[in-house]
């Protein structure tokens, strides 16, 4: 029905009639229209017209009663005619009504929007100068503007005309809507009449259809006369005899020949003329029939009745070749129906149609067998765990009904394959053949990536369901195993994890889980109910089984429950062994989750705390079990000074853990542990050592000495704890009076490595090995350690020095270490210098070092005394050239690099001092004086010759050279003083390792000895020449010249 515009109550005029008056008028009109010959004509059976019988028009008009006697008379007559029952009111149509105000509002809004568009379009209508050609006159421009104005007026006029027409329509609708009530009654009456006509037409159609359906049900009258004659005489006299001759009986030869002929005709026809679908390609011809073999479905026998190749093939026999099924279809209605249908299909569609019909029949029969088997399973031992529903030809089987979470079911039906090329013959390939398919829904979601091999030769719903359940169980176990392998305990092979799955038998699916070194469980899932089970059973396994069977999503949540079981069993075994070993469990100390997360880096599943006197009352050993591995921790307990021991924890519940440090045992930090007594012994030793390490680090922090802990790659897998590295430098020198490592610059990286080596036999002292590495190895140092302490060892190739320290448990090792380092530091530094300068040491001790620094032409030795109670000094044997500068060398030893400087000076000054010794030995008189003003500056004075030389060591171009300068006897050189010719000739010449500079002589280290000897010879020679000149002068003074 079209929509009706209905004016709201507040918009109606005062002249509109009331609803009651309109109803009364409509009823009166309807009563008069259906009244004939003074009798009341019923409308729609015995129903009333608008609820009142024969109300005349005007019974109530504008709330005024009119012609009441007539109305009451009509009502009484209608009631008596219908037995006191009046028909119901006609249904009032209200669908599609819209208020008039809504239409007016939308029209006003549309008018406003259209007016805005018109104004915008008019504003865009401006004359464009670019469109005017050059040279146009002003008149042309004005004419163009006049055209634009005309267009604007036309646009505005059209808009006004269109809006005016719309508002006129609204006015008409507004006037018409004042009578909407009356029109509505007419519409209601029209709809009612149409419905009555429709009922009349449907009744007529129904009566005709009933007559047609009942026609076959009529049974004709029996012909008793003919029946009596046939039963009495065996024939009917009125039936004519056509005189047909009976066929001759076929002999065996003729029958065999006929069959061979039929075989030949069938072979020619099937190979040349028939369209054989791919499933019918496997056929055989014998005994006058062609047998088509369809694998896993059926066998069909057909034959021919005519030699004509266009004649149809005829059905002979049909057999199912799958089980369970009938071996042979018995004679009866079913066989007749199949035969008739197959012959009809062969006549119309040939072999392709025949295959399609029989194929659908076989698939439907297989589905019916599966449906029957499913219902039998649901009534048998699968009851209460399996639900079967038949949806059209498909079968829906829901399993594991009592498991929480989403539903699990399978749908078995026929999958229709679409043919891509419709122009080709039917069944162009095997892809166009429908088949029985299975869809699997797991947890309410379809699984599309799983393929199942359905055995359609031996149909078994139980086998199919077991195959699906085996796949479901395998997925759960695989995901559980994959999640467990993410933990280090299984990924690194510390614990065994064996998965066994099967594609057909769910009872063969299992997950072997080794939860500890000596215990394992097997997780299985019962195929009928889907319940999990852990074998062998125990109290802990029973609780975990209940948790597993209550999970909504076992694929993702089961690994957490298995991990909890593993950790619980591990803690239980550790607690039982720890009690036997003498550890006391601290049950009262129960840290909260915040403390556990703060102290332990990994997610802790289970934890146990133990105390022992081996590491003191202020510390506890914590055993934590997670999927990442089992670990031991040494934890410091707050308020430990007031505790007397582990047994006092019950009386002190306010204790808490302050810090925790991991204990490394067995060479691995992520693994499971065999709770053996050997392991607990290792943990106890490691805990005591870590307590000692912690005390040492606190002591170093108090002294402001840098240090760090590093985990070594130890060759001994029985125990691993961090090594303590101590860094000594001038910036971080301790503030104590005893300064450690006076020779710290000799060590590699200035670090000392403190290695824990366990407890002593009394379990009261900690053994540490101190390891120091030299920057430069001392390769022959093993020959120098004979006089050292037996606890001190050297490695010649790596330059490492190690010694052993023994300190009580709970006491710092650092003071003893600093004292020992102070004693050997100086020795190591001196040995390093000796090695660097390739000086042979004769004797070595912690307070004295004797070495040979020259062997040619004579052996020269020196001895350095560095005892702790005396200053360091150097001494030489009698006759050593360096006795001349012994005090200078001793003063240099006090510096940081004093020994290096002393050894270097011994080598630099040896040639010069050796030359001085030769001069003093050669000159027995006392006219030669040698003065050592420093180790770098010497003065050689010849008193008799009044000749002197200054010898200084200077650096020029990164090379050390001796510079010799001639001096007068008074210690200086005047400008008028003449240099002796022999010395001057040396100043102008050169030799091996020296060169004259005119005013002096420069010599290398190796050339200074020869130069001094040449100078000494020159001075001696010059002195002899001076003496001869003086003697000649004296002789000339004695001669008398006579005139």
């Amino acid at each position: 029905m079209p929509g009706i515009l209905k004016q709201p109550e507040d918009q109606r005029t005062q002249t509109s009639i009331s609803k009651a008056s309109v109803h009364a008028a409509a009823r009166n009109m309807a009563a008069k229209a259906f009244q004939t010959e003074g009798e009341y004509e019923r409308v729609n059976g015995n129903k009333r017209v608008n609820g009142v019988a024969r109300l005349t028009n005007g019974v109530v008009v504008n709330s005024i009663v009119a012609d009441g006697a007539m109305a009451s008379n009509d009502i009484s007559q209608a009631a008596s005619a219908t037995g006191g029952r009046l028909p119901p009111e006609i249904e009032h149509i209200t669908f599609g009504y819209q208020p008039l105000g809504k239409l007016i509002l939308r029209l006003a809004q549309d008018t406003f929007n259209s007016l805005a568009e018109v104004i915008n379009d008019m504003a865009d209508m401006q004359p464009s100068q670019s469109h005017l050609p050059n040279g146009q006159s002003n008149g042309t421009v004005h004419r163009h503007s006049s055209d634009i104005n005309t267009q604007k007026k036309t646009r505005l006029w059209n808009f006004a005309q269109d809006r005016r027409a719309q508002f006129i329509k609204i006015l008409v609708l507004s006037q018409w809507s004042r009578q909407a009530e009356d029109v509505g009654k007419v519409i209601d009456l029209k709809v009612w009449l149409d419905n009555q006509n429709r009922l009349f037409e449907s009744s007529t159609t129904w009566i005709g259809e009933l007559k047609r359906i009942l026609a076959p049900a009529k049974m004709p009258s029996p012909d008793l006369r003919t029946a009596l004659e046939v039963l009495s005489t065996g024939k009917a006299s009125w039936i004519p005899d056509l005189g047909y001759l009976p066929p001759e009986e076929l002999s065996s030869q003729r029958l065999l020949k006929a069959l061979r002929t039929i075989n030949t005709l069938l072979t020619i026809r099937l190979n040349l003329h028939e369209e054989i679908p791919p499933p019918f390609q496997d056929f055989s011809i014998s005994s006058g029939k062609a047998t088509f073999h369809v694998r896993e479905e059926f066998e069909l026998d057909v034959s021919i009745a005519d030699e004509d190749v266009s004649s149809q093939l005829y059905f002979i026999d049909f057999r199912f070749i799958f089980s369970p099924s009938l071996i042979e279809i018995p004679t009866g209605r079913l066989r007749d129906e199949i035969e008739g249908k197959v012959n009809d299909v062969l006549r119309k569609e040939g072999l392709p149609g025949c295959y399609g019909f029989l194929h659908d029949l076989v698939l439907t029969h297989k589905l019916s067998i599966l449906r029957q088997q499913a219902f039998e399973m649901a009534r048998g031992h699968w009851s209460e765990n399996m639900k079967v529903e038949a949806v059209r030809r498909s079968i829906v089987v829901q399993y594991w009904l009592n498991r929480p979470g989403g539903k699990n079911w399978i749908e078995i039906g026929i999958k229709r394959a679409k043919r891509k090329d419709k122009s080709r013959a039917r069944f162009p390939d095997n892809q166009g053949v429908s088949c029985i398919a299975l869809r699997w829904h797991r947890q309410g979601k379809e699984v599309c990536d799983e393929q199942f091999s359905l055995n359609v030769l031996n149909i078994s719903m139980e086998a199919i369901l077991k195959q699906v359940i085996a796949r479901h169980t395998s997925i759960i176990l695989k995901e559980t195993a994959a999640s467990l392998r993410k933990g280090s305990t299984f990924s690194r092979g510390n614990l065994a994890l064996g998965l066994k799955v099967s594609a057909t038998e769910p009872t063969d699916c299992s997950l072997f889980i080794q939860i500890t070194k000596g215990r394992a469980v097997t997780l299985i899932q019962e195929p009928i109910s889907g319940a999990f089970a852990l074998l062998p059973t125990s109290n802990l396994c029973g609780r975990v089984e209940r948790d597993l069977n209550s999970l909504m999503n076992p694929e993702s949540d089961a690994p957490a429950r298995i991990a909890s079981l593993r950790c619980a069993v591990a803690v239980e075994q550790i607690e039982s062994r720890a009690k036997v070993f003498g550890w006391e469990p601290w049950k009262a100390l129960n840290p909260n989750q915040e403390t556990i997360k703060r102290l332990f880096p990994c997610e802790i599943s289970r934890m146990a705390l133990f105390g022992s006197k081996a590491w003191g009352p202020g510390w506890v050993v914590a055993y934590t079990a997670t999927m990442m591995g089992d670990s031991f921790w040494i934890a410091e307990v707050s308020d430990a000074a007031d505790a007397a021991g582990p047994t006092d924890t019950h009386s002190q519940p306010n204790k808490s853990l302050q810090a925790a440090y991991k204990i490394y045992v067995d060479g691995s930090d992520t693994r499971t542990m065999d709770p053996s007594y050997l392991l607990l012994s290792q943990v106890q030793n490691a805990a005591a050592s870590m307590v000692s390490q912690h005390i040492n680090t606190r002591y170093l922090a108090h002294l402001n000495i840098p240090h760090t802990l590093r985990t070594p790659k130890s060759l001994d897998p029985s125990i691993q704890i961090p090594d303590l590295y101590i860094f000594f430098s001038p910036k971080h020198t301790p503030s104590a009076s005893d300064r450690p490592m006076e020779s710290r610059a000799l060590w590699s990286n200035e670090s000392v490595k403190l290695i824990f080596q366990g407890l002593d036999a009394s379990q009261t002292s900690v053994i540490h090995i101190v390891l120091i590495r030299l920057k430069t190895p001392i390769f022959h140092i093993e020959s120098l350690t004979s006089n050292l302490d037996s606890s001190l060892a050297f490695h010649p190739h790596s330059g490492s020095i190690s010694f052993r320290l023994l300190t009580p448990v709970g006491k710092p090792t650092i003071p003893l270490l600093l004292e020992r380092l102070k004693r050997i530091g100086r020795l190591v530094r001196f040995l390093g210098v000796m090695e660097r300068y390739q000086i042979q040491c004769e004797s070595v001790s912690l307070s004295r070092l004797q070495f040979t620094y020259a062997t040619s032409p004579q052996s020269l030795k020196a001895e350095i005394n560095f005892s702790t109670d005396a200053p360091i000094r150097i001494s030489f044997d009698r006759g050593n050239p360096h006795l001349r500068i012994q005090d200078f060398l001793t003063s240099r030893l006090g510096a940081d690099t004093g020994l290096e400087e002393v050894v270097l000076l011994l080598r630099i000054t040896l040639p010069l001092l050796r030359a001085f010794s030769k001069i003093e030995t050669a000159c027995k008189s006392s006219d030669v004086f040698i003065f050592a003003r420093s180790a770098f500056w010497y003065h050689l004075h010849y008193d008799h010759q009044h000749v002197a030389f200054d010898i200084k060591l200077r650096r020029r171009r990164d090379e050390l050279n001796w510079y010799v300068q001639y001096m007068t006897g008074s210690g200086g050189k005047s400008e008028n003083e003449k240099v002796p010719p022999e010395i001057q000739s040396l100043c102008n010449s050169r030799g091996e390792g020296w060169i004259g500079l005119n005013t002096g002589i420069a010599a290398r280290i190796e050339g200074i000895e020869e130069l001094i000897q040449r100078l000494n010879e020159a001075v001696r020679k010059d002195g002899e020449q001076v003496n001869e000149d003086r003697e000649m002068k004296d002789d000339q003074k004695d001669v008398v010249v006579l005139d």
Side-chain angles (χ1 to χ4, degrees), residues 26-52:
R27 289 193 294 269
N28 193 9
M29 293 172 63
K32 288 182 178 181
F34 295 101
Q35 182 180 8
T36 57
E37 296 181 359
E39 294 182 359
Y40 176 71
E41 194 70 30
R42 288 181 296 177
V43 180
N44 195 14
N46 294 327
K47 295 184 179 179
R48 294 174 295 172
V49 180
N50 289 339
V52 181

Short mmCIF file of all heavy atoms in Angstrom, two decimals, residues 26-52:
data_model
loop_
_atom_site.label_atom_id
_atom_site.label_comp_id
_atom_site.label_asym_id
_atom_site.label_seq_id
_atom_site.Cartn_x
_atom_site.Cartn_y
_atom_site.Cartn_z
N ALA A 26 -19.25 4.63 8.93
CA ALA A 26 -18.74 3.51 8.14
C ALA A 26 -19.53 2.24 8.40
O ALA A 26 -19.85 1.47 7.49
CB ALA A 26 -17.27 3.29 8.43
N ARG A 27 -19.88 1.98 9.66
CA ARG A 27 -20.66 0.79 9.98
C ARG A 27 -22.05 0.84 9.36
O ARG A 27 -22.57 -0.17 8.87
CB ARG A 27 -20.75 0.64 11.51
CG ARG A 27 -19.45 0.23 12.18
CD ARG A 27 -19.70 -0.21 13.61
NE ARG A 27 -20.16 0.92 14.43
CZ ARG A 27 -19.32 1.71 15.11
NH1 ARG A 27 -18.01 1.47 15.08
NH2 ARG A 27 -19.78 2.69 15.83
N ASN A 28 -22.67 2.02 9.37
CA ASN A 28 -24.02 2.16 8.81
C ASN A 28 -24.00 1.91 7.30
O ASN A 28 -24.84 1.21 6.75
CB ASN A 28 -24.55 3.56 9.10
CG ASN A 28 -26.06 3.68 8.84
OD1 ASN A 28 -26.73 2.69 8.58
ND2 ASN A 28 -26.58 4.90 8.95
N MET A 29 -22.97 2.47 6.62
CA MET A 29 -22.85 2.28 5.18
C MET A 29 -22.62 0.81 4.84
O MET A 29 -23.18 0.27 3.89
CB MET A 29 -21.72 3.12 4.63
CG MET A 29 -21.98 4.62 4.72
SD MET A 29 -20.53 5.58 4.29
CE MET A 29 -20.34 5.06 2.59
N ALA A 30 -21.79 0.14 5.61
CA ALA A 30 -21.52 -1.27 5.35
C ALA A 30 -22.74 -2.13 5.56
O ALA A 30 -23.02 -3.07 4.82
CB ALA A 30 -20.37 -1.75 6.24
N ALA A 31 -23.57 -1.80 6.59
CA ALA A 31 -24.77 -2.60 6.87
C ALA A 31 -25.79 -2.46 5.75
O ALA A 31 -26.40 -3.44 5.32
CB ALA A 31 -25.36 -2.16 8.21
N LYS A 32 -25.97 -1.25 5.23
CA LYS A 32 -26.93 -1.05 4.15
C LYS A 32 -26.46 -1.69 2.85
O LYS A 32 -27.25 -2.16 2.05
CB LYS A 32 -27.15 0.44 3.93
CG LYS A 32 -27.95 1.09 5.05
CD LYS A 32 -28.18 2.59 4.75
CE LYS A 32 -29.02 3.22 5.86
NZ LYS A 32 -29.28 4.66 5.58
N ALA A 33 -25.15 -1.68 2.63
CA ALA A 33 -24.64 -2.23 1.38
C ALA A 33 -24.86 -3.72 1.27
O ALA A 33 -25.04 -4.27 0.18
CB ALA A 33 -23.16 -1.91 1.23
N PHE A 34 -24.82 -4.46 2.37
CA PHE A 34 -24.95 -5.92 2.35
C PHE A 34 -26.33 -6.42 2.80
O PHE A 34 -26.49 -7.57 3.14
CB PHE A 34 -23.87 -6.55 3.24
CG PHE A 34 -22.48 -6.32 2.73
CD1 PHE A 34 -21.69 -5.35 3.28
CD2 PHE A 34 -22.01 -7.06 1.68
CE1 PHE A 34 -20.44 -5.13 2.80
CE2 PHE A 34 -20.74 -6.84 1.21
CZ PHE A 34 -19.95 -5.88 1.76
N GLN A 35 -27.31 -5.54 2.84
CA GLN A 35 -28.67 -5.94 3.26
C GLN A 35 -29.53 -6.13 2.02
O GLN A 35 -29.62 -5.23 1.19
CB GLN A 35 -29.27 -4.89 4.19
CG GLN A 35 -30.65 -5.27 4.69
CD GLN A 35 -31.23 -4.20 5.61
OE1 GLN A 35 -30.65 -3.13 5.71
NE2 GLN A 35 -32.37 -4.49 6.23
N THR A 36 -30.14 -7.29 1.81
CA THR A 36 -31.04 -7.56 0.67
C THR A 36 -32.30 -8.24 1.19
O THR A 36 -32.23 -9.17 2.03
CB THR A 36 -30.35 -8.47 -0.34
OG1 THR A 36 -29.94 -9.66 0.30
CG2 THR A 36 -29.14 -7.78 -0.96
N GLU A 37 -33.47 -7.82 0.68
CA GLU A 37 -34.79 -8.38 0.98
C GLU A 37 -35.06 -8.45 2.46
O GLU A 37 -35.61 -9.41 2.99
CB GLU A 37 -34.94 -9.78 0.37
CG GLU A 37 -34.88 -9.77 -1.15
CD GLU A 37 -35.06 -11.15 -1.73
OE1 GLU A 37 -35.22 -12.12 -0.93
OE2 GLU A 37 -35.04 -11.27 -2.95
N GLY A 38 -34.59 -7.40 3.17
CA GLY A 38 -34.87 -7.30 4.59
C GLY A 38 -34.11 -8.23 5.45
O GLY A 38 -34.30 -8.28 6.66
N GLU A 39 -33.23 -9.04 4.87
CA GLU A 39 -32.41 -9.96 5.67
C GLU A 39 -31.00 -9.40 5.80
O GLU A 39 -30.48 -8.77 4.88
CB GLU A 39 -32.37 -11.35 5.02
CG GLU A 39 -33.72 -12.04 4.99
CD GLU A 39 -33.60 -13.40 4.38
OE1 GLU A 39 -32.47 -13.76 3.96
OE2 GLU A 39 -34.61 -14.12 4.34
N TYR A 40 -30.40 -9.70 6.93
CA TYR A 40 -29.01 -9.25 7.16
C TYR A 40 -28.05 -10.14 6.40
O TYR A 40 -28.05 -11.36 6.57
CB TYR A 40 -28.73 -9.28 8.66
CG TYR A 40 -27.32 -8.94 9.00
CD1 TYR A 40 -26.87 -7.63 8.84
CD2 TYR A 40 -26.43 -9.92 9.44
CE1 TYR A 40 -25.56 -7.31 9.15
CE2 TYR A 40 -25.14 -9.59 9.74
CZ TYR A 40 -24.71 -8.29 9.58
OH TYR A 40 -23.42 -7.95 9.89
N GLU A 41 -27.24 -9.52 5.51
CA GLU A 41 -26.26 -10.25 4.71
C GLU A 41 -24.93 -10.28 5.47
O GLU A 41 -24.37 -9.24 5.78
CB GLU A 41 -26.06 -9.56 3.36
CG GLU A 41 -25.32 -10.41 2.35
CD GLU A 41 -26.16 -11.57 1.87
OE1 GLU A 41 -27.41 -11.47 1.84
OE2 GLU A 41 -25.56 -12.62 1.55
N ARG A 42 -24.44 -11.46 5.79
CA ARG A 42 -23.20 -11.58 6.56
C ARG A 42 -21.99 -11.28 5.69
O ARG A 42 -21.96 -11.66 4.52
CB ARG A 42 -23.07 -12.99 7.15
CG ARG A 42 -24.05 -13.24 8.28
CD ARG A 42 -23.89 -14.62 8.85
NE ARG A 42 -24.22 -15.63 7.84
CZ ARG A 42 -24.11 -16.94 8.06
NH1 ARG A 42 -23.68 -17.38 9.22
NH2 ARG A 42 -24.42 -17.81 7.13
N VAL A 43 -21.09 -10.60 6.28
CA VAL A 43 -19.82 -10.27 5.61
C VAL A 43 -18.73 -11.10 6.27
O VAL A 43 -18.55 -11.05 7.49
CB VAL A 43 -19.51 -8.76 5.75
CG1 VAL A 43 -18.20 -8.46 5.04
CG2 VAL A 43 -20.64 -7.95 5.15
N ASN A 44 -17.96 -11.89 5.41
CA ASN A 44 -16.87 -12.73 5.91
C ASN A 44 -17.39 -13.71 6.95
O ASN A 44 -16.93 -13.77 8.09
CB ASN A 44 -15.73 -11.89 6.48
CG ASN A 44 -14.48 -12.72 6.65
OD1 ASN A 44 -14.39 -13.82 6.12
ND2 ASN A 44 -13.53 -12.18 7.39
N GLY A 45 -18.42 -14.48 6.53
CA GLY A 45 -19.00 -15.46 7.45
C GLY A 45 -19.94 -14.78 8.41
O GLY A 45 -20.76 -13.93 8.05
N ASN A 46 -19.83 -15.13 9.65
CA ASN A 46 -20.66 -14.57 10.70
C ASN A 46 -19.98 -13.42 11.41
O ASN A 46 -20.31 -13.11 12.55
CB ASN A 46 -21.03 -15.66 11.71
CG ASN A 46 -21.91 -16.71 11.10
OD1 ASN A 46 -22.71 -16.41 10.22
ND2 ASN A 46 -21.75 -17.96 11.56
N LYS A 47 -19.02 -12.85 10.79
CA LYS A 47 -18.28 -11.78 11.46
C LYS A 47 -19.04 -10.47 11.37
O LYS A 47 -19.81 -10.24 10.45
CB LYS A 47 -16.90 -11.61 10.84
CG LYS A 47 -16.01 -12.82 11.04
CD LYS A 47 -14.64 -12.55 10.49
CE LYS A 47 -13.74 -13.75 10.72
NZ LYS A 47 -12.39 -13.53 10.17
N ARG A 48 -18.73 -9.61 12.33
CA ARG A 48 -19.36 -8.30 12.37
C ARG A 48 -18.62 -7.33 11.47
O ARG A 48 -17.47 -7.49 11.19
CB ARG A 48 -19.35 -7.76 13.80
CG ARG A 48 -20.20 -8.57 14.76
CD ARG A 48 -20.02 -8.07 16.16
NE ARG A 48 -18.64 -8.31 16.59
CZ ARG A 48 -18.14 -7.83 17.73
NH1 ARG A 48 -18.89 -7.10 18.53
NH2 ARG A 48 -16.91 -8.09 18.06
N VAL A 49 -19.37 -6.32 11.05
CA VAL A 49 -18.77 -5.24 10.26
C VAL A 49 -18.42 -4.13 11.21
O VAL A 49 -19.30 -3.45 11.76
CB VAL A 49 -19.75 -4.73 9.19
CG1 VAL A 49 -19.11 -3.62 8.40
CG2 VAL A 49 -20.18 -5.86 8.29
N ASN A 50 -17.10 -3.99 11.46
CA ASN A 50 -16.60 -2.98 12.39
C ASN A 50 -17.21 -3.13 13.77
O ASN A 50 -17.40 -2.17 14.50
CB ASN A 50 -16.83 -1.56 11.88
CG ASN A 50 -15.94 -1.21 10.72
OD1 ASN A 50 -14.91 -1.85 10.54
ND2 ASN A 50 -16.32 -0.25 9.90
N GLY A 51 -17.59 -4.33 14.09
CA GLY A 51 -18.06 -4.62 15.44
C GLY A 51 -19.52 -4.32 15.70
O GLY A 51 -20.03 -4.65 16.75
N VAL A 52 -20.32 -3.76 14.77
CA VAL A 52 -21.73 -3.41 15.03
C VAL A 52 -22.55 -3.86 13.84
O VAL A 52 -22.12 -3.69 12.68
CB VAL A 52 -21.91 -1.89 15.25
CG1 VAL A 52 -23.37 -1.58 15.52
CG2 VAL A 52 -21.02 -1.43 16.39
#
